[in-house]
Amino acid sequence: MEDLRLVNVTKKFDNFIAVDSIDLEIKQGEFFSFLGPSGCGKTTLLRMIAGFEIPTEGNIFIGDTDISKLPPYKRPVNTIFQNYSLFPHISIYDNIAFGLKVKKVHKSEIKDRVQQMLKLVKMEAHKSKFPNQLSGGQKQRIAIARALINEPKVLLLDEPLAALDLKLRQHMLIELMNIHDAVGITFLYVTHDQSEALNIADRLAIMNKGSFAQVGMPDDVYERPETIFAAYFIGDTNLIEGRVVEIHDEFATVVCHTDSEHEIEIDTTYHRQPVLDEVITLSLRPEKIAISRRPPKRKDDFNILQGVIEDILYGGTHTQYIVKVGAHFLRVFQQHKKVYIDELSLDWEEHVYLYWHDTDTHIIFETDKNKVNSENIMKTIRRK
Amino acid sequence: MERYTNNEITKIEKDNKSSLILTTPFLIWITFFFLIPYLIVIFYSVLTPGVYDIKFIFSLESWKAAFSSSYLDSITHSLVMSLLTTIITILIGFPVAYVIANSSKRKQNLFIVLIIIPFWTNFIIRIFSWKIFLSAQGLLNNALIYFGLIDEPLMLLRTNGAVLLVMVYVYLPYMILPIYSVLEKFNYSLLEASMDLGANEIRSFFKITLPLSMEGIFAGSILVFIPALGTYIIPQLVGHQSSAFIGQLITFKVKSIPRNWPLASALSFILLLLVAVILFTGYNYYKQGLRRK
């Protein structure tokens, strides 16, 4: 197997630690994504795999070969650059043929393989053009063809869709997945765009300050974030700090209080059993919460809270409500479906019921020391 | 496809009108100080020389003389020396420009200033200092004798080598600056892409960096070759009389008695044609390169 393995990979620039002892194993043929805010070290990590940076410590293996000290031109990997980096002075054909020409592959074979690649990326008609005559999406396709023709063990993609507009980006994303399925090469995809990573990756790693906040499958990472950072970076979430007061077979009860007067009780299922009296953080995605003037008819397994609407933000696919529950502010997303028609006219300062299923609450065994969540919610409330 | 709205079209028409107004002074300048003088040169070249002045009698004698072997030799000599100057300035100028373009912004400015500073000293004074430096009792010969490397002064001055040395010295900045301006904007991620695709540093240089700096090398070559071809003062001060540049011969025909204005005019015009042909060929090549942008 030609798996990609990172062992204790570290990169320091002067005194700044860009990548901090990363361990990771990526299976051959996997579509893996590094996801993180700018400056989190994801691009540095990718550049170390490509060979543009040499790790300060640690090793990078493909199969059993240690490639961490090899120059880029001796590594069995190829890169799709963010700005494509097509060679402007040679034709599309010559751009794609570049790697094979360097390796002195026979001319007739080059011709066949370039043709094959042009077909794969659906660019047969453009082979004698020059890069600056192409649109962004077309350049992207050529960059993919130019890399894949070398049959790399791993294809590295550095924010490849960042320069495209939304519709084209969605389209290219599907195209990339199809190409991945067709060639069966390991794809390593770096992005700061969470929806891209969730859509495309078999597994993803959320990076923060040089290390992984969480590694897992997209739904795992989204539904069961292990750290506050992971929960907060992907999607929106409500983070509520609380103390575990009761532990049952399937669920636990958590008491959350913000000040001496207010106290709310929330039931939650768990994947790892908490300890009694442990202080934990609950993550509750805004789209999991229902909002209504009336309490739900069904009550078992539901958490039901009462609150007042503090703010309403219209967002196209959904409306965001900020609801004050006790001293807490909760974010709630409501989709505009006709079945909710009687709820569409919810108004500022209305008293509402919030309810959600126990299994939609998730325990993070960490506390939000920086109070990122509550501060961010406060920022989104408009001043009256 | 570019499409313009009506508003934009009126704007473009306006721009054309204003550009005509803006270029008029230049056209007047070109007409009075370039076109008319050259017409006079052509007119003079088909007249008969007098001892001091010119006789208004039609004659093609000076054109016949201009194509005689002694003048053709001088033209060839000028061409060879200018070509050598251009090649040497490329070989020195490219690495220098590359180093400058790859230094920090602060150092870049310092280097550029260092290159420009010599321009503040008069051109002729700089050539004279070379003359003193290279002369038999000059600093270089004295130093070589002092260190016992030679016994008697070398004949450095009045050689083709001296002419080449000073020409390279004088024209080098004109090569460095255009190459620098191209390399400064060079997208170095293209080199990473090339290495990523399997080309090592040396191949990447010849396949990517060099072809993409041709624009600067071309511009620099024109800026060096053309003035070098017509240079007069450098070979006059540090060169040998037996290998004169065409510019020297033209001056000589005008300066010495009996004067020969028609021959000087014919030779000048040949020099102009040479430069025009070289520029035109170069421009065509350059335009081919531009089409890819």
Side-chain angles (χ1 to χ4, degrees):
Chain A
M1 287 301 271
E2 307 274 13
D3 297 345
L4 174 70
R5 272 191 305 133
L6 310 181
V7 182
N8 188 32
V9 173
T10 302
K11 181 71 187 179
K12 290 178 192 158
F13 296 107
D14 298 323
N15 288 321
F16 173 72
I17 301 172
V19 173
D20 193 1
S21 47
I22 293 269
D23 288 295
L24 182 68
E25 219 174 308
I26 299 172
K27 293 263 170 293
Q28 187 182 355
E30 201 173 351
F31 203 132
F32 196 92
S33 179
F34 292 153
L35 176 65
S38 48
C40 72
K42 57 191 193 299
T43 297
T44 308
L45 190 54
L46 194 82
R47 288 174 61 82
M48 283 193 281
I49 300 168
F52 303 130
E53 307 281 356
I54 300 295
T56 319
E57 276 168 54
N59 301 85
I60 300 165
F61 294 92
I62 290 181
D64 295 323
T65 326
D66 183 354
I67 60 159
S68 37
K69 302 277 188 304
L70 292 179
Y73 47 87
K74 286 190 179 156
R75 297 188 184 207
V77 301
N78 285 111
T79 311
I80 310 283
F81 295 87
Q82 190 174 355
N83 50 9
Y84 321 126
S85 293
L86 297 181
F87 306 129
H89 60 299
I90 54 177
S91 69
I92 294 311
Y93 180 94
D94 289 330
N95 262 282
I96 298 175
F98 191 91
L100 296 185
K101 278 186 182 165
V102 169
K103 285 183 204 92
K104 305 235 161 35
V105 174
H106 195 269
K107 258 204 171 133
S108 59
E109 194 193 333
I110 293 183
K111 208 178 157 192
D112 289 348
R113 280 169 69 179
V114 171
Q115 208 57 45
Q116 219 178 312
M117 277 300 139
L118 283 166
K119 207 173 153 192
L120 180 74
V121 297
K122 300 180 188 132
M123 288 291 287
E124 290 111 312
H126 304 275
K127 68 173 175 189
S128 38
K129 287 190 181 167
F130 283 85
N132 290 351
Q133 295 171 293
L134 302 184
S135 68
Q138 291 173 324
K139 284 183 193 170
Q140 183 64 74
R141 287 158 196 269
I142 300 306
I144 293 168
R146 187 179 69 172
L148 283 178
I149 199 167
N150 303 291
E151 295 173 349
K153 301 269 198 291
V154 182
L155 184 71
L156 308 171
L157 303 103
D158 185 10
E159 309 229 6
L161 308 181
L164 305 177
D165 62 68
L166 181 66
K167 286 283 168 217
L168 197 54
R169 204 154 63 216
Q170 289 167 343
H171 178 71
M172 282 305 293
L173 208 60
I174 303 295
E175 202 102 330
L176 267 179
M177 287 199 263
N178 287 336
I179 290 172
H180 174 255
D181 293 347
V183 296
I185 290 171
T186 313
F187 276 37
L188 196 50
Y189 189 99
V190 159
T191 182
H192 65 268
D193 185 317
Q194 38 145 329
S195 70
E196 266 178 31
L198 289 174
N199 280 174
I200 205 168
D202 295 329
R203 278 197 306 154
L204 55 88
I206 299 180
M207 267 189 98
N208 183 31
K209 293 178 184 163
S211 25
F212 289 157
Q214 191 170 352
V215 181
M217 290 191 288
D219 57 334
D220 236 16
V221 174
Y222 185 82
E223 303 289 348
R224 288 173 287 282
E226 286 163 8
T227 58
I228 303 258
F229 182 84
Y232 205 78
F233 187 73
I234 290 207
D236 270 304
T237 196
N238 295 294
L239 296 172
I240 311 156
E241 204 173 295
R243 191 167 50 83
V244 181
V245 292
E246 268 175 61
I247 302 174
H248 307 272
D249 282 348
E250 306 224 314
F251 69 96
T253 305
V254 178
V255 167
C256 315
H257 41 162
T258 45
D259 52 41
S260 48
E261 291 166 49
H262 300 96
E263 184 171 287
I264 48 179
E265 233 173 63
I266 296 172
D267 289 344
T268 171
T269 50
Y270 50 79
H271 291 84
R272 196 181 98 200
Q273 191 169 323
V275 185
L276 207 61
D277 275 340
E278 191 178 3
V279 177
I280 48 90
T281 304
L282 293 176
S283 166
L284 177 59
R285 301 280 182 195
E287 74 275 11
K288 313 269 192 193
I289 307 173
I291 184 168
S292 172
R293 291 194 184 94
R294 288 177 294 275
K297 290 185 186 87
R298 201 182 126 190
K299 297 229 162 65
D300 0 322
D301 304 333
F302 274 27
N303 285 296
I304 304 166
L305 299 175
Q306 274 179 285
V308 181
I309 294 179
E310 283 285 316
D311 201 1
I312 303 173
L313 279 172
Y314 178 72
T317 57
H318 63 262
T319 294
Q320 169 177 294
Y321 297 94
I322 307 269
V323 181
K324 192 175 181 193
V325 179
H328 267 293
F329 289 96
L330 292 184
R331 237 188 272 225
V332 178
F333 292 164
Q334 171 87 301
Q335 286 195 320
H336 313 129
K337 288 184 181 144
K338 278 280 194 290
V339 288
Y340 300 143
I341 194 83
D342 58 326
E343 304 296 353
L344 279 182
S345 51
L346 286 174
D347 211 345
W348 271 265
E349 306 197 347
E350 245 189 280
H351 288 261
V352 287
Y353 287 91
L354 301 181
Y355 49 95
W356 69 93
H357 199 269
D358 293 350
T359 53
D360 282 336
T361 334
H362 174 73
I363 299 179
I364 298 171
F365 294 91
E366 206 179 68
T367 50
D368 185 7
K369 292 177 198 79
N370 303 321
K371 305 284 176 228
V372 191
N373 186 52
S374 45
E375 266 175 32
N376 267 300
I377 290 188
M378 290 306 283
K379 265 182 223 158
T380 58
I381 300 176
R382 287 170 287 179
R383 289 204 191 94
K384 282 165 210 154
Chain B
M1 272 312 147
E2 279 182 282
R3 307 183 78 176
Y4 298 104
T5 62
N6 278 344
N7 267 342
E8 281 171 332
I9 290 170
T10 16
K11 194 171 168 284
I12 289 163
E13 279 170 355
K14 256 189 209 159
D15 283 351
N16 282 343
K17 265 181 211 154
S18 60
S19 66
L20 191 70
I21 293 167
L22 286 170
T23 48
T24 306
F26 175 71
L27 289 175
I28 292 172
W29 176 275
I30 283 283
T31 312
F32 278 91
F33 296 103
F34 184 82
L35 203 61
I36 293 176
Y38 256 106
L39 288 174
I40 295 172
V41 168
I42 295 171
F43 179 60
Y44 268 37
S45 75
V46 292
L47 295 176
T48 310
V51 178
Y52 293 102
D53 51 7
I54 203 153
K55 289 178 185 143
F56 289 88
I57 304 164
F58 178 79
S59 156
L60 286 174
E61 278 308 307
S62 55
W63 279 97
K64 268 186 214 157
F67 283 102
S68 71
S69 70
S70 61
Y71 296 117
L72 285 183
D73 283 353
S74 170
I75 288 175
T76 315
H77 178 67
S78 309
L79 280 171
V80 170
M81 291 293 276
S82 316
L83 196 66
L84 281 174
T85 307
T86 312
I87 292 169
I88 296 171
T89 48
I90 291 173
L91 291 179
I92 300 174
F94 192 93
V96 172
Y98 194 88
V99 169
I100 298 176
N102 280 291
S103 0
S104 64
K105 198 78 215 157
R106 234 193 146 131
K107 276 190 188 159
Q108 283 188 22
N109 291 335
L110 178 74
F111 284 135
I112 297 301
V113 169
L114 286 179
I115 288 169
I116 291 170
I117 281 177
F119 284 95
W120 295 347
T121 311
N122 182 287
F123 174 64
I124 293 171
I125 290 172
R126 282 187 285 149
I127 299 168
F128 260 107
S129 25
W130 274 106
K131 195 173 166 171
I132 295 163
F133 181 74
L134 294 172
S135 66
Q137 282 81 45
L139 192 62
L140 188 58
N141 268 317
N142 282 343
L144 289 174
I145 292 170
Y146 179 81
F147 288 112
L149 293 168
I150 50 170
D151 295 327
E152 47 188 87
L154 294 173
M155 180 66 190
L156 298 170
L157 214 55
R158 306 256 159 255
T159 59
N160 282 338
V163 174
L164 206 55
L165 175 70
V166 175
M167 289 222 292
V168 167
Y169 162 76
V170 167
Y171 295 119
L172 188 58
Y174 298 100
M175 185 62 80
I176 295 176
L177 293 176
I179 297 179
Y180 161 75
S181 83
V182 169
L183 286 178
E184 198 241 319
K185 281 174 271 165
F186 184 69
N187 176 4
Y188 287 89
S189 78
L190 293 178
L191 277 188
E192 288 192 343
S194 163
M195 291 210 268
D196 186 73
L197 293 167
N200 62 23
E201 287 89 347
I202 296 164
R203 282 198 84 156
S204 298
F205 175 81
F206 282 105
K207 292 199 106 168
I208 309 297
T209 319
L210 195 60
L212 285 171
S213 354
M214 278 323 273
E215 216 175 286
I217 295 174
F218 175 72
S221 299
I222 287 187
L223 290 179
V224 170
F225 184 81
I226 287 169
L229 189 63
T231 186
Y232 158 73
I233 197 76
I234 298 171
Q236 188 70 23
L237 289 178
V238 300
H240 194 267
Q241 272 188 328
S242 67
S243 47
F245 273 54
I246 188 69
Q248 285 173 281
L249 293 186
I250 294 170
T251 321
F252 183 72
K253 289 295 149 202
V254 178
K255 245 172 43 181
S256 59
I257 311 292
R259 294 194 212 281
N260 195 339
W261 286 99
L263 182 55
S265 303
L267 289 172
S268 302
F269 197 69
I270 290 171
L271 192 60
L272 175 81
L273 283 180
L274 257 175
V275 169
V277 167
I278 291 164
L279 264 182
F280 185 73
T281 322
Y283 179 69
N284 267 350
Y285 165 82
Y286 181 69
K287 241 181 19 187
Q288 262 173 10
L290 276 188
R291 221 175 295 149
R292 291 169 185 182
K293 295 211 157 175

